[in-house]
Structures are given as structure tokens and as C-alpha cells.
Amino acid sequence: MFNILLVPLDGTLQSANVIDLVRRVASPGRATVHLLCVIDPSYALPPGSESGIAPDGLTYPPASAQTSFARSVLATAAGQLAGHNLIVEQHLRAGNPPAGVIIEQAGLLAAEVIVMGHHHLSRLRRWANPSISGEVIDRSPCPVLIETRDKGLT
């Protein structure tokens, strides 16, 4: 059982299975689960614009949509963990590549484990868009648990 867990989520249907795995490996009553969503910095709202309106008075609809989606993913996951005697914290970070942000957060939070999903990609897709989970496994400062059940299927 783990006490400090980092859980990167991307909002896919597989996220529910990742949260199920977190419930199975987190120490009830002692664990802190850090939920993480990483968004592309090009679509991140500037600081101070939580309402969707930037300090300069302008609105950024794509950035607002991306940020809202990420917050929704985090809130949904936190709701799925409610009532399981776990401390849950939500983190929204902007950065590229996502694997680098995940690894950085694991170090900053002193994570004991990273629990994340894995998308089964074809060779062509892996070549064009390398696996985030593969990079995290290669560079992580702590163990990585990968949930391989796909698309919300149990």
C-alpha cells in the first residue's frame, strides 16, 4: 500500500479504471492522492483568469474550454475517490511534454508511486506520437503502476 500517489489523468474512459486501481493500492486513512491534469501551455489560461476572462480583459475560448475540461476531469476523479478515507488533492499544470511535467511533479511531491493509464497505440501512432506512459516509466524517480484495461471496460 502506498501513502503518496501521483495520478496523471487525461479524461479518457480509461480514467475510471485508473481510479479503481488507485483505490486498491492507496493506504486508507494515510494516503494522499495527487490527481494531475497536464494541459498544453498554448491552451492554458493566464494566471488570474479563472473566470475565463484574462487580466487584459480578453477572453480565450479554446484555453477556457481546455482548462474547464481539465478541471472537470480532476473533479470527477476526486468524486470517485470521495468516501474512501483518502486525502485527495487536485493539480492542474501547463507544460510540454506531458511526461516531463508528470516526472517533475513526482519529484516535487515525493511520490511513492505514479498510477496511470496506457493507450494501446499502433506502431505508426507510437512513432508519430511517443507513449507518455513509456517515457514516464523510463524516467520516473519512483515506481509506476500502469492500468491497461482500456476504454472503461472492466
Side-chain angles (χ1 to χ4, degrees), residues 21 40 61 64 140:
L21 179 58
D40 186 312
S64 183
S140 177

Side-chain angles (χ1 to χ4, degrees), residues 19-131:
I19 295 302
D20 181 51
L21 179 58
V22 167
R23 284 192 296 258
R24 288 185 277 144
V25 301
S27 293
R30 294 192 316 240
T32 300
V33 178
H34 296 276
L35 302 172
L36 173 66
C37 250
V38 180
I39 59 175
D40 186 312
S42 304
Y43 290 96
L45 287 172
S49 54
E50 286 72 29
S51 66
I53 300 173
D56 59 10
L58 298 175
T59 60
Y60 299 92
S64 183
Q66 188 77 262
T67 301
S68 293
F69 176 74
R71 287 188 180 132
S72 170
V73 167
L74 293 170
T76 298
Q80 292 168 335
L81 291 170
H84 289 277
N85 202 15
L86 302 168
I87 298 167
V88 178
E89 296 184 9
Q90 300 176 38
H91 306 272
L92 177 60
R93 299 289 181 265
N96 254 333
V101 176
I102 294 166
I103 291 162
E104 176 185 43
Q105 289 298 301
L108 291 172
L109 298 168
E112 294 175 4
V113 66
I114 298 172
V115 183
M116 63 189 301
H118 169 71
H119 301 289
H120 302 282
L121 303 175
S122 68
R123 287 183 189 195
L124 179 59
R125 282 198 165 166
R126 272 194 311 262
W127 175 79
N129 193 11
S131 168

